[in-house]
Amino acid sequence: MSSTVAPKIVLYWLEQSKAHRILWLLEEIGLKYDLKIYKRENGLAPEELKKINGLGKAPIISVEDPSLSPEPIILSESALITEFLVSNYAPQLAPPPSDLKANLRYKFYLYYAEGGVFQPLLVHHILDMVHTASPFFIKPVVGGLLSQLKSRWLNKAYDDHLGYVERELEGKKFLLGEHFSGVDCLHSFNWQSLEKLGALNSQRYPRLMEYWNGLQQREAYKKAQEKVKGHKALL
Amino acid sequence: MSSTVAPKIVLYWLEQSKAHRILWLLEEIGLKYDLKIYKRENGLAPEELKKINGLGKAPIISVEDPSLSPEPIILSESALITEFLVSNYAPQLAPPPSDLKANLRYKFYLYYAEGGVFQPLLVHHILDMVHTASPFFIKPVVGGLLSQLKSRWLNKAYDDHLGYVERELEGKKFLLGEHFSGVDCLHSFNWQSLEKLGALNSQRYPRLMEYWNGLQQREAYKKAQEKVKGHKALL
């Protein structure tokens, strides 16, 4: 802990967004926080969120901790929030600073949460939106077109990323090895969404599925689910 | 410099990829490096790249620097490469470690390069691919459908992100203020691609365009362009 006085934390949580992994992380760390729940408007984040930090994307956290800064710290970008919370309040959820190799691996996964499989996942959602919105008389042709794009680009992208993580998990319990860390929370959004889309399954990626099933058994994960009961957490 | 002996650096550069910003960064820092140029195969990264680090995405760098590690360090993810090169070889391209607020801003932009406007940009490219691939008899209907999606989702996403950076640049010369930093290189891929797509223009985002035009006048930027002459650097 950076201070003996508990920090005052607010999490701005939006339904069906990446905010859910930060809620889970706060539960893993055991920090106290206020939870502010926002609803989507026509599928989009409400304009109200822009008042918090100008960008208007969830999650956002506000941290009041005089031992770090005289002013409240307002952060967006889930990976930055993860890095910040872990480094200040839960250093046990990152590799020891002396281990360069492990730290570069940790940082790789911090960046890779948005830089990797999330990108084809986003494209997948948008292609499905195109298909759903197609008028009935072109739906079959559009469907064929999207199938081509999926088999040419999307499946290759999934294979590249999921295949990579599947190989990386060999002999490991968590992304970094024996110990649960901040990046295990951070990547959960991807696994949950990909499982729902059928791209992540135990036939093709058995280790990844076993790992992901294990994460969902954690007490903190269940507590996070409980906190937003009645809201749709993920895509 | 972390050592008096120059590090041995290899940049694995793929045409039409995000690798170009790392080439520019190496020129800004003035580091010596070997440049390995890869071509796309049917629009995709060649399988050969997977031999370097298993993931097969460009850019990748390999750094041999005994003052840091007895083994070569192999890194992917442009933002991690930027953070690593700046922190070890060009600390002047990041805020001073004592300035928490400026450092969180720097880190925000490190994460935001993939987490922000790149995402609608990727969707834009894919939607254009869908349109191009449509058979002539459904092209008008598909075009109408994509226009709807663009006006409903894509333009909103562009406005959110570009509008945010436009406001952030008020009174600043670079993303972080008076001084050029690693994140100015890192975000260049987005500006270049968005300008080409017409989403970034001086009518709507005058400060951002002025900033981006200024970056392209830098000697190191021109040198990076020169190094890969004859290859298509960007999307």
Side-chain angles (χ1 to χ4, degrees):
Chain A
M1 287 279 172
S2 60
S3 162
T4 49
V5 179
K8 217 178 141 187
I9 295 176
V10 181
L11 170 63
Y12 299 86
W13 184 97
L14 171 69
E15 58 182 12
Q16 290 182 279
S17 86
K18 298 171 185 171
H20 200 56
R21 48 196 178 174
I22 301 300
L23 179 62
W24 175 24
L25 179 63
L26 287 165
E27 289 294 335
E28 286 284 349
I29 299 179
L31 282 166
K32 279 197 178 163
Y33 57 91
D34 278 336
L35 182 62
K36 297 227 191 273
I37 294 179
Y38 290 78
K39 285 192 178 296
R40 287 190 178 265
E41 291 167 6
N42 298 320
L44 302 169
E47 284 296 303
E48 218 183 323
L49 267 176
K50 282 197 178 154
K51 288 180 201 155
I52 321 295
N53 74 340
L55 185 60
K57 305 287 167 199
I60 306 171
I61 58 160
S62 150
V63 178
E64 286 180 51
D65 184 341
S67 75
L68 293 175
S69 160
E71 295 159 13
I73 294 167
I74 315 279
L75 296 177
S76 57
E77 284 297 322
S78 302
L80 174 57
I81 295 172
T82 300
E83 190 190 340
F84 179 89
L85 291 175
V86 166
S87 106
N88 287 294
Y89 307 111
Q92 73 281 5
L93 298 187
S98 59
D99 188 340
L100 176 72
K101 205 175 162 185
N103 272 283
L104 289 174
R105 198 97 214 111
Y106 174 62
K107 278 176 186 259
F108 167 77
Y109 277 113
L110 282 174
Y111 288 115
Y112 189 56
E114 295 291 321
V117 76
F118 175 71
Q119 293 177 358
L121 171 56
L122 174 68
V123 170
H124 195 151
H125 271 292
I126 299 290
L127 294 182
D128 286 351
M129 275 169 74
V130 172
H131 193 230
T132 305
S134 299
F136 75 95
F137 57 94
I138 64 159
K139 229 181 197 65
V141 190
V142 171
L145 196 68
L146 298 181
S147 291
Q148 269 179 42
L149 199 64
K150 282 183 181 176
S151 68
R152 186 180 171 276
W153 186 84
L154 198 63
N155 292 343
K156 164 85 169 63
Y158 280 149
D159 267 356
D160 282 351
H161 291 293
L162 296 177
Y164 173 75
V165 178
E166 177 75 10
R167 291 190 298 276
E168 284 292 302
L169 280 170
E170 192 179 348
K172 295 195 186 89
K173 207 173 157 195
F174 299 104
L175 286 180
L176 300 185
E178 265 311 287
H179 301 289
F180 178 84
S181 74
V183 291
D184 291 304
C185 282
L186 189 63
H187 281 259
S188 61
F189 178 88
N190 290 336
W191 315 140
Q192 179 136 12
S193 305
L194 288 165
E195 188 185 4
K196 224 169 136 186
L197 287 167
L200 175 59
N201 57 66
S202 54
Q203 283 74 49
R204 205 161 171 83
Y205 309 104
R207 278 185 217 120
L208 190 41
M209 273 308 288
E210 199 191 332
Y211 156 74
W212 168 228
N213 286 331
L215 291 182
Q216 295 170 76
Q217 300 309 314
R218 294 176 72 87
E219 283 312 308
Y221 184 86
K222 290 178 191 167
K223 272 190 200 164
Q225 300 287 76
E226 198 59 36
K227 285 259 174 158
V228 290
K229 217 174 169 175
H231 296 275
K232 248 184 150 179
L234 286 149
L235 285 175
Chain B
M1 287 277 173
S2 61
S3 162
T4 49
V5 179
K8 216 177 143 187
I9 295 176
V10 181
L11 171 62
Y12 299 86
W13 184 98
L14 172 68
E15 56 182 14
Q16 294 182 277
S17 86
K18 297 173 186 171
H20 200 56
R21 50 196 177 174
I22 302 300
L23 179 63
W24 174 25
L25 179 63
L26 287 164
E27 289 295 335
E28 286 282 350
I29 300 179
L31 283 166
K32 280 197 178 166
Y33 57 91
D34 279 335
L35 183 62
K36 296 225 190 275
I37 293 178
Y38 290 78
K39 285 192 177 296
R40 288 190 177 265
E41 290 166 6
N42 299 318
L44 302 170
E47 284 295 303
E48 219 184 322
L49 267 176
K50 283 197 177 154
K51 289 180 200 152
I52 322 294
N53 74 340
L55 186 59
K57 305 287 165 197
I60 306 172
I61 59 162
S62 150
V63 178
E64 287 182 51
D65 183 341
S67 75
L68 293 175
S69 161
E71 296 159 11
I73 294 167
I74 315 278
L75 295 178
S76 57
E77 285 296 324
S78 301
L80 174 57
I81 296 172
T82 300
E83 190 190 339
F84 179 88
L85 291 176
V86 166
S87 105
N88 287 294
Y89 306 112
Q92 74 280 7
L93 298 187
S98 59
D99 189 339
L100 175 72
K101 205 174 162 186
N103 271 283
L104 289 174
R105 198 95 214 114
Y106 173 63
K107 279 178 185 257
F108 167 77
Y109 277 114
L110 284 172
Y111 288 115
Y112 189 57
E114 295 291 320
V117 76
F118 176 71
Q119 294 178 356
L121 172 56
L122 174 68
V123 169
H124 195 152
H125 271 293
I126 300 290
L127 294 182
D128 285 352
M129 276 169 73
V130 172
H131 193 231
T132 305
S134 299
F136 75 96
F137 57 95
I138 63 157
K139 227 182 200 65
V141 190
V142 170
L145 198 67
L146 298 182
S147 292
Q148 268 178 42
L149 200 64
K150 282 184 180 176
S151 68
R152 187 181 170 275
W153 186 83
L154 198 63
N155 292 343
K156 165 83 168 67
Y158 279 149
D159 267 355
D160 282 353
H161 291 293
L162 296 178
Y164 174 75
V165 178
E166 176 76 9
R167 290 189 299 277
E168 283 293 301
L169 279 171
E170 192 180 347
K172 295 196 187 88
K173 207 172 156 194
F174 300 104
L175 286 179
L176 299 185
E178 264 311 288
H179 301 289
F180 179 84
S181 74
V183 291
D184 292 305
C185 283
L186 188 63
H187 281 259
S188 61
F189 178 88
N190 290 338
W191 315 141
Q192 179 137 13
S193 305
L194 288 166
E195 188 185 4
K196 223 169 136 184
L197 287 167
L200 175 58
N201 57 67
S202 53
Q203 283 75 48
R204 208 164 168 79
Y205 308 104
R207 279 184 217 120
L208 190 41
M209 274 308 290
E210 199 191 331
Y211 156 74
W212 168 228
N213 286 331
L215 291 181
Q216 294 171 76
Q217 299 310 315
R218 293 177 72 89
E219 282 312 307
Y221 184 87
K222 290 178 191 167
K223 271 190 200 165
Q225 301 287 77
E226 198 59 34
K227 285 258 173 157
V228 290
K229 218 174 168 174
H231 296 276
K232 247 186 151 178
L234 287 148
L235 286 176

